[in-house]
Amino acid sequence: MAIIKKVFLVALAFLLICCSKKSITDKRKILVVMPKNGYEEVLNGFKEAIYEEGMNDKVDLIIQNSGITKDDFVAISKIINSSDVDIIVTVTTPVTLALYENVKNKPIVFSAVGDPISAGLAKDLKNSKKNITGVTNLSRMLTKKRMEVFKNAFPFMKKIITFYNPENVFSLLAVKDLSEISEKLNIKLEKVECLNTDNILATLKNIKKGSYDGVFIIPDPVVLSAFTDIINISNEFSMPVCVHEESYISKGATISYGIDLKEVGKHSFALVKLILQGSSPEQLPIFVPEKISLVVNNRWAKEKGYKVPNELLYLADRVVE
Amino acid sequence: MKNIRESKIAKKLFLIMLLVCLSSVTILSFIQSYSSYEDGKRVAENYQREVLDAIVKEIKDHQFLIQKLMELSSHSRGVLEDGINEKFRFYLWKIMKHQPYVFEVVVVDTTGREILVASKIRTENVVDYQDLAKEDFFQQSIAGKVYYSNIRYEFDATKPYFVISVPVYKFDGTINAVLISKIWFSEIQKSLSQKKIGTTGYAFILDVNKRVIAHQKLDVVFKYTTAGNISQELDSFVDKAIKNPGHYFQVSYVDSENNSVFATLKNLKELNWIVVVVQKKSEIFIGTLRTITSFLAISGIVVLMVFFVVRKLSANFSLPIIKLNDLAEKISNGDFSTKINIKTKDEIEELANNFNEMTEKLKKSYDEMEGKIQERTKELLLLYSFTSAISRSLRVHETLKSAGDELVAVLELEGYTGVLYKDGIWDIDNAVYGFIEEEKYKSLWDEVVKRGIVLHILSHHVPYVMNLSVEKIEISNGNNQIKSIAIFPILYQGNLIGVMLLYSSYENFFQSGILSSIETCMIQLGVAIANAERYEYTENLSFKDPLTKLFNRRYFETKLEQEFARCERYNRELSLSMIDIDFFKKINDTYGHQVGDEILKQLAQIILKSIRKSDIAGRYGGEEFIVLMPETSPKKAYIALERLRKIVEGHAFAIDVPPGYLHITISIGLAGYVQSMTKKEELIELADKALYTAKNSGRNRVCL
């Protein structure tokens, strides 16, 4: 019997040694800081990736509304500095910039940053800065292409309106690109500067029927906070609205051309995972998703009596009828 | 009883069986492991080749599809015949629509300038047309080839893509332009990640610069990952693969995550991509691992089985041997009562049975031996006790009696009779007997004589045994019936000096063993009796006068002294008388000394008869006798002596010479002990004086 006991003990010890190697690590805390409106798809993609990777019980996901002003971002940075989160995911350029500036010693993975290089977050896509990396949605690069697609869809447009936030670097850059292309496409561009939602609402009040043939949305937390109001006006005056992302179609936008934010969210998590596994952010280049989709709200166009060219409808990834 | 666990045989058996079983299991497992290792390797090689071929086929199919789409577009009626054609752009867009990873399709004219762009990134109408004249894909396709480019990078060299270029023909068959498609490499990445390779397997693709351009396990492909970063072994094999396109290579290495892996790689000829299919060794050699695991399990089972088999075998072989051993030990300690009981139905059982038989025989011979020893011991004891018994006395009859008593006591006999034989006469009247009545032994003696047994013994000097039931004699002694009689001769120096009759209540009691030991005793008895006789004779010589058989003067004086001392101490009475034959000298002179001696002899007999037993008579000198009478006053002595004088006076002494008889008279001097006497000599002197007085006063009288 003595021999059998020994065998059991050895087996148990062996089992314990094996188990101890795979000891369960504590849950890692991921803080997602994002604007309340307009970027839900990033979060959805992020969550989806967590589930796909089977890491839902290994991470603690904390969602923090970023607010829309710089003050909001700084306030959040202070809280983060005194918390024990392992990694921060930021959504949109202003949020990222504010946190990168104010949060110390915590890795940041940004997403939905239209142009990280111009925003000063990276020297180039290959080389990210210390403690920060992320996913760009090429929003700035696609501004010209988006405008072109907008024009192709609604060739009658001669005069369009756009809003930009002078405090958002990306916004300024995008509006610059937009001006260039509009000129080439023989479209008159009305650029409205807005530091807050009220600026937009005031502008919208003054719009009259026939003032503009369309609205071009430059992604920015301030602009998107008034998105519903913009849609209401555009509906009222039959102005097609061009957006950067598919999800706005369901909120009333007419045409979207850009990178799927869900993909952005998914890729953000891929980077988060690598950092949690021990990679340092500066080793990871900034990721560029390649899936660009064109979605057209043809139902709205038909309602308003517009005829979107058949070729475009054919080429669109999705057409809302 | 030893425990089976302590059995050395069981241990040896266990070790031998364990050795045999384990070594066979080990050899089998080794062969199995080796073959399964080889199998695993071969299977893995074949499998990885298959997977690799499938991946390659997929890639080629995918590219071929794009190529076909491009060719289809370029053959659309009227394209480019009239320069740039908006409708043609639509065809290009269709390619992108069908192949989402084609992100740009460009038409390049024969000079190398872009003339039509369909792009998901670039604006089409306000495009900055680029000059592609120096690009390899343009140069190859303008020469009429379909060309697949090396990997190129977009977006700050972070996104790999490749180019397929096809020539565009005019209706007359001349090359009009080149159609170029730019395709994200992530499409390949995606198809790789959907590929299932075993359970741990994965694939990746390297370009000619040994950079990882697609990796199944990584969504993000990084600039720094190269074959050299993964493993040096892999790096050298990639070099070989680059030099030998189309060939398969197998390599084992440890990857960056410290996994031991086995990989197959191949360089795709047209694309210059190296596809690598990797599997963990633990998966490939799971068969080997299982064999080893099962070897351990089987070994465990074998140990247990061997243990139980040996236990069982030990019960069959070792246990019987232990039992036999124990039995042998017991036998060596003199315990013959134990028997071994083994039922194995084989030679061991036979051995055990033989052992039992042997034990029985041993027991028998041991008992016999014991019996004999006991018999001999008994004989010796008998002899010893007998010898000590007969040496206790120096009297003939006492010796005989002691001998008989001892024999009865030791041999538990009913009784005995000892009869002495002297000068041809059986002294049956003075026979010594014990534990038997006188008339019974006498009647038995008569029977013995009647049957001529006594004569037989006389002539042959051998014992004779008689069983009374055979002889039909019935004699009881007390409560017991005498069943057998043995008559032993008592011999000394070859002469029969007597016989000893022994009676037993058992039939056939006197067997040869007892017979011989009693015979030995009889020899001792013969010697003892002879010694006693001689002693008695010598004793008589020293105390008695040889002629008259009365005590001699020396003995008498000793006795007198004893009696005198007694009188002195206790003030008792004592009389001493001296007797003298009157005119004895005259008788001697007349008839001779022989007659004189005869007279003395006969007178002594008369004196002995007429005095009491307590009185002591002795010869004091020539014709003088002396009589000591203890506890007797001179008065009483006088009466007795007077009676004696008268008897002598009236007695006719027989003589051998005529007239045939003679009358004599005696004079007696008597003296009594007086307290004033201090010496015995005084008493003798007084008696002597009285005798003198008697002689002087006329003889034939008693004087005080």
Side-chain angles (χ1 to χ4, degrees):
Chain A
M1 292 309 284
I3 292 169
I4 294 166
K5 265 184 189 174
K6 274 181 192 171
V7 168
F8 270 116
L9 283 175
V10 169
L12 193 68
F14 185 69
L15 206 69
L16 285 173
I17 290 163
C18 288
C19 286
S20 66
K21 273 191 171 179
K22 289 188 174 180
S23 66
I24 301 152
T25 48
D26 291 334
K27 277 190 172 185
R28 309 294 292 271
K29 285 183 181 170
I30 304 171
L31 178 71
V32 181
V33 185
M34 59 187 290
K36 196 182 174 187
N37 299 314
Y39 294 90
E40 294 87 345
E41 283 303 302
V42 177
L43 187 62
N44 290 341
F46 196 81
K47 283 178 178 172
E48 228 169 74
I50 291 173
Y51 276 91
E52 277 171 12
E53 294 287 339
M55 287 183 66
N56 43 321
D57 55 350
K58 289 175 190 162
V59 295
D60 248 343
L61 195 62
I62 308 156
I63 317 294
Q64 173 62 49
N65 180 9
S66 65
I68 54 170
T69 65
K70 203 171 178 179
D71 295 340
D72 297 335
F73 309 148
V74 173
I76 288 164
S77 302
K78 282 178 183 166
I79 297 165
I80 292 168
N81 274 330
S82 59
S83 76
D84 62 343
V85 293
D86 294 299
I87 191 161
I88 305 153
V89 178
T90 56
V91 183
T92 73
T93 309
V95 174
T96 307
L97 279 170
L99 263 58
Y100 182 61
E101 205 175 297
N102 295 302
V103 174
K104 305 293 170 202
N105 301 324
K106 287 200 200 292
I108 296 173
V109 173
F110 59 78
S111 59
V113 170
D115 187 351
I117 298 156
S118 304
L121 292 168
K123 206 167 78 190
D124 52 39
L125 293 175
K126 238 180 188 176
N127 303 293
S128 44
K129 284 193 174 171
K130 196 183 175 217
N131 252 346
I132 188 161
T133 187
V135 184
T136 169
N137 57 358
L138 292 175
S139 203
R140 186 194 163 195
M141 182 180 261
L142 291 177
T143 307
K144 288 179 179 175
K145 183 68 189 173
R146 193 180 299 125
M147 186 60 224
E148 191 184 70
V149 172
F150 193 26
K151 166 80 177 163
N152 284 346
F154 303 99
F156 65 88
M157 292 192 299
K158 294 288 178 210
K159 192 181 179 187
I160 60 168
I161 184 169
T162 193
F163 305 94
Y164 72 98
N165 179 0
E167 286 183 350
N168 185 351
V169 184
F170 166 75
S171 215
L172 291 171
L173 294 165
V175 84
K176 192 175 155 242
D177 289 346
L178 191 61
S179 306
E180 279 176 26
I181 192 71
S182 300
E183 205 183 324
K184 284 187 179 172
L185 292 169
N186 292 321
I187 290 170
K188 197 182 172 199
L189 180 68
E190 179 70 33
K191 299 172 274 185
V192 180
E193 190 183 284
C194 47
L195 282 164
N196 50 51
T197 316
D198 294 340
N199 295 153
I200 300 171
L201 294 177
T203 311
L204 290 175
K205 271 183 185 172
N206 297 327
I207 291 176
K208 290 167 186 164
K209 191 175 167 65
S211 304
Y212 305 103
D213 299 326
V215 184
F216 190 94
I217 302 290
I218 293 169
D220 173 83
V222 177
V223 176
L224 291 172
S225 67
F227 184 73
T228 319
D229 303 291
I230 295 169
I231 290 298
N232 289 340
I233 297 294
S234 75
N235 275 336
E236 194 183 338
F237 303 120
S238 301
M239 290 187 293
V241 180
C242 179
V243 291
H244 57 287
E245 212 263 327
E246 186 182 343
S247 59
Y248 294 96
I249 298 293
S250 60
K251 292 172 184 167
T254 318
I255 187 164
S256 81
Y257 185 81
I259 289 186
D260 193 347
L261 284 183
K262 212 171 185 174
E263 285 292 306
V264 172
K266 277 188 183 180
H267 285 294
S268 304
F269 183 72
L271 291 171
V272 167
K273 190 184 156 193
L274 287 167
I275 292 166
L276 290 178
Q277 282 171 353
S279 304
S280 62
E282 51 268 36
Q283 281 178 343
L284 305 171
I286 289 153
F287 197 81
V288 185
E290 60 275 282
K291 198 184 167 194
I292 300 162
S293 57
L294 167 65
V295 181
V296 180
N297 190 348
N298 200 31
R299 191 174 58 204
W300 183 89
K302 277 178 182 171
E303 272 176 24
K304 304 293 173 191
Y306 299 125
K307 173 83 178 92
V308 179
N310 281 336
E311 287 86 352
L312 196 79
L313 290 176
Y314 174 78
L315 293 172
D317 296 277
R318 194 157 73 85
V319 178
V320 180
E321 290 291 348
Chain B
M1 177 76 166
K2 264 198 232 167
N3 195 299
I4 195 156
R5 269 186 224 164
E6 290 161 28
S7 164
K8 286 172 188 164
I9 294 174
K11 275 178 191 164
K12 279 181 188 169
L13 210 60
F14 181 75
L15 283 175
I16 290 167
M17 283 189 69
L18 198 66
L19 203 69
V20 169
C21 293
L22 279 183
S23 55
S24 53
V25 168
T26 311
I27 290 165
L28 282 174
S29 303
F30 179 76
I31 293 166
Q32 186 64 32
S33 307
Y34 186 74
S35 66
S36 76
Y37 177 82
E38 289 295 312
D39 279 355
K41 208 170 161 182
R42 201 169 46 247
V43 168
E45 265 178 40
N46 292 337
Y47 176 68
Q48 290 184 357
R49 277 185 189 203
E50 271 173 37
V51 171
L52 202 146
D53 289 343
I55 291 169
V56 170
K57 189 175 179 295
E58 219 166 281
I59 293 168
K60 281 186 174 172
D61 283 356
H62 173 251
Q63 288 167 358
F64 187 68
L65 199 66
I66 296 167
Q67 186 194 322
K68 283 295 148 196
L69 276 168
M70 287 163 72
E71 283 170 2
L72 206 67
S73 304
S74 69
H75 284 101
S76 302
R77 280 193 77 79
V79 289
L80 295 179
E81 286 291 326
D82 308 305
I84 297 164
N85 187 334
E86 260 317 304
K87 201 175 182 184
F88 192 67
R89 198 200 306 271
F90 177 68
Y91 285 116
L92 301 185
W93 264 101
K94 270 170 83 177
I95 296 172
M96 290 194 281
K97 164 97 178 165
H98 287 289
Q99 292 294 319
Y101 286 85
V102 179
F103 68 92
E104 203 168 287
V105 189
V106 179
V107 182
V108 184
D109 68 9
T110 48
T111 64
R113 266 197 85 77
E114 289 178 334
I115 49 171
L116 189 62
V117 172
S119 173
K120 285 183 176 176
I121 299 161
R122 284 200 278 164
T123 50
E124 292 154 353
N125 300 317
V126 284
V127 66
D128 302 322
Y129 294 114
Q130 292 171 9
D131 189 357
L132 302 176
K134 287 177 183 171
E135 299 285 353
D136 53 349
F137 51 82
F138 171 76
Q139 285 168 0
Q140 293 286 337
S141 290
I142 204 73
K145 275 187 188 171
V146 174
Y147 185 73
Y148 298 93
S149 81
N150 284 335
I151 297 298
R152 311 167 76 85
Y153 294 91
E154 184 67 53
F155 299 144
D156 293 345
T158 54
K159 299 295 285 183
Y161 73 96
F162 65 98
V163 168
I164 303 175
S165 59
V166 295
V168 180
Y169 293 94
K170 276 201 234 173
F171 288 122
D172 58 4
T174 55
I175 292 170
N176 189 20
V178 172
L179 196 58
I180 294 161
S181 289
K182 292 182 181 175
I183 304 138
W184 289 131
F185 202 78
S186 53
E187 168 67 9
I188 308 297
Q189 166 93 36
K190 201 180 169 193
S191 72
L192 276 185
S193 60
Q194 283 165 356
K195 203 97 203 147
K196 194 164 165 54
I197 305 168
T199 50
T200 62
Y202 58 93
F204 58 90
I205 299 170
L206 301 156
D207 67 4
V208 280
N209 299 319
K210 296 191 271 184
R211 294 213 286 190
V212 177
I213 51 175
H215 198 296
Q216 185 174 356
K217 278 175 119 183
L218 300 170
D219 291 339
V220 189
V221 177
F222 304 110
K223 48 174 180 165
Y224 301 115
T225 316
T226 64
N229 280 353
I230 294 169
S231 142
Q232 283 306 313
E233 286 101 320
L234 180 67
D235 194 62
S236 64
F237 271 85
V238 170
D239 282 336
K240 282 184 194 171
I242 290 167
K243 283 170 194 162
N244 303 288
H247 284 90
Y248 295 97
F249 293 93
Q250 267 81 37
V251 58
S252 289
Y253 65 89
V254 179
D255 69 8
S256 46
E257 284 171 11
N258 263 336
N259 292 315
S260 208
V261 296
F262 185 72
T264 302
L265 53 138
K266 186 187 180 182
N267 183 3
L268 272 70
K269 257 184 199 172
E270 307 85 352
L271 298 166
N272 256 340
W273 297 347
I274 297 99
V275 182
V276 188
V277 174
V278 183
Q279 272 179 296
K280 276 191 190 169
K281 275 188 178 170
S282 58
E283 184 196 346
I284 295 169
F285 302 120
I286 192 145
T288 317
L289 217 75
R290 272 185 198 144
T291 313
I292 289 163
T293 318
S294 49
F295 161 71
L296 289 173
I298 289 168
S299 298
I301 293 164
V302 161
V303 170
L304 276 177
M305 265 173 62
V306 165
F307 178 74
F308 286 115
V309 166
V310 166
R311 245 188 117 80
K312 183 70 191 160
L313 279 178
S314 300
N316 275 345
F317 297 112
S318 185
L319 207 60
I321 289 167
I322 291 171
K323 279 186 185 173
L324 280 169
N325 192 28
D326 286 349
L327 189 60
E329 232 169 68
K330 279 188 181 172
I331 288 167
S332 72
N333 289 335
D335 177 4
F336 295 101
S337 59
T338 319
K339 280 202 173 174
I340 192 166
N341 184 21
I342 294 166
K343 296 274 176 244
T344 54
K345 291 174 186 166
D346 54 17
E347 285 82 356
I348 291 178
E349 189 180 329
E350 277 172 33
L351 176 66
N353 291 341
N354 289 337
F355 210 85
N356 283 339
E357 217 169 280
M358 191 188 80
T359 313
E360 257 169 47
K361 281 181 182 167
L362 260 176
K363 183 175 164 37
K364 211 170 159 188
S365 54
Y366 180 82
D367 288 348
E368 265 173 30
M369 192 78 81
E370 190 91 323
K372 275 184 184 166
I373 289 167
Q374 273 180 3
E375 214 169 85
R376 288 282 167 271
T377 315
K378 217 168 170 184
E379 249 174 58
L380 277 172
L381 278 172
L382 174 62
L383 200 59
Y384 171 74
S385 59
F386 188 80
T387 315
S388 52
I390 60 177
S391 62
R392 250 176 251 141
S393 172
L394 274 169
R395 310 273 165 207
V396 174
H397 285 91
E398 277 176 19
T399 304
L400 200 56
K401 193 168 169 52
S402 298
D405 288 348
E406 191 63 35
L407 286 173
V408 167
V410 173
L411 299 175
E412 295 173 350
L413 298 170
E414 281 300 309
Y416 66 92
T417 310
V419 184
L420 291 173
Y421 179 74
K422 203 172 184 184
D423 305 332
I425 295 162
W426 291 100
D427 189 8
I428 189 69
D429 291 336
N430 289 320
V432 176
Y433 58 94
F435 310 102
I436 191 160
E437 290 153 30
E438 193 173 357
E439 67 267 22
K440 283 193 179 155
Y441 87 73
K442 278 187 173 164
S443 72
L444 272 170
W445 176 255
D446 288 345
E447 289 288 339
V448 168
V449 173
K450 209 163 72 189
R451 279 156 210 266
I453 296 162
V454 175
L455 267 178
H456 175 82
I457 291 168
L458 255 177
S459 49
H460 292 101
H461 294 183
V462 290
Y464 189 90
V465 177
M466 222 162 80
N467 279 319
L468 296 191
S469 59
V470 178
E471 305 291 335
K472 294 185 176 145
I473 298 168
E474 273 193 23
I475 287 178
S476 62
N477 183 34
N479 294 329
N480 296 331
Q481 190 80 18
I482 293 170
K483 294 263 175 72
S484 56
I485 301 175
I487 304 121
F488 292 92
I490 305 168
L491 300 167
Y492 179 68
Q493 288 182 346
N495 297 318
L496 189 83
I497 57 168
V499 289
M500 179 70 87
L501 285 84
L502 299 172
Y503 317 112
S504 170
S505 56
Y506 299 104
E507 245 171 74
N508 297 320
F509 178 78
F510 300 101
Q511 299 289 342
S512 58
I514 289 180
L515 226 51
S516 67
S517 48
I518 298 173
E519 262 190 291
T520 319
C521 293
M522 288 306 134
I523 291 164
Q524 293 292 320
L525 183 57
V527 174
I529 286 173
N531 283 338
E533 269 179 349
R534 208 171 294 138
Y535 177 77
E536 275 183 5
Y537 177 73
T538 319
E539 192 186 51
N540 280 351
L541 270 187
S542 55
F543 296 143
K544 290 191 176 175
D545 174 46
L547 184 69
T548 59
K549 303 291 179 197
L550 296 178
F551 291 109
N552 60 25
R553 188 175 168 167
R554 187 164 54 87
Y555 181 75
F556 185 83
E557 279 185 357
T558 316
K559 283 307 263 188
L560 177 62
E561 198 161 331
Q562 285 172 5
E563 287 301 321
F564 191 82
R566 208 157 65 94
C567 286
E568 260 192 326
R569 196 180 305 137
Y570 303 113
N571 193 24
R572 309 297 292 188
E573 285 177 317
L574 179 68
S575 296
L576 181 83
S577 59
M578 293 189 82
I579 302 164
D580 189 76
I581 303 171
D582 298 333
F583 309 113
F584 189 69
K585 199 170 175 352
K586 202 172 154 186
I587 293 166
N588 268 348
D589 294 345
T590 314
Y591 303 102
H593 280 286
Q594 277 207 326
V595 172
D597 283 352
E598 190 60 35
I599 297 291
L600 285 172
K601 230 167 148 180
Q602 285 182 30
L603 179 62
Q605 289 305 312
I606 291 165
I607 294 169
L608 273 177
K609 278 180 184 169
S610 62
I611 62 169
R612 297 168 307 180
K613 278 205 169 169
S614 56
D615 300 340
I616 298 156
R619 193 178 171 194
Y620 198 67
E623 74 275 20
E624 273 183 342
F625 294 91
I626 195 160
V627 175
L628 187 66
M629 297 164 130
E631 306 287 334
T632 313
S633 62
K635 205 175 177 180
K636 279 182 187 168
Y638 182 84
I639 296 163
L641 291 169
E642 187 58 34
R643 194 169 60 234
L644 172 67
R645 187 196 62 80
K646 277 180 184 166
I647 290 168
V648 172
E649 193 179 25
H651 187 76
F653 289 85
I655 55 170
D656 291 342
V657 292
Y661 66 89
L662 197 66
H663 283 282
I664 61 159
T665 55
I666 51 170
S667 300
I668 300 166
L670 174 64
Y673 170 74
V674 196
Q675 277 191 338
S676 58
M677 286 181 184
T678 54
K679 286 186 222 168
K680 66 180 192 299
E681 282 81 14
E682 285 179 43
L683 189 61
I684 294 169
E685 205 179 315
L686 199 65
D688 206 28
K689 274 180 185 170
L691 180 59
Y692 185 74
T693 313
K695 289 263 184 191
N696 283 345
S697 57
R699 295 187 173 89
N700 195 21
R701 65 189 64 200
V702 180
C703 280
L704 194 61

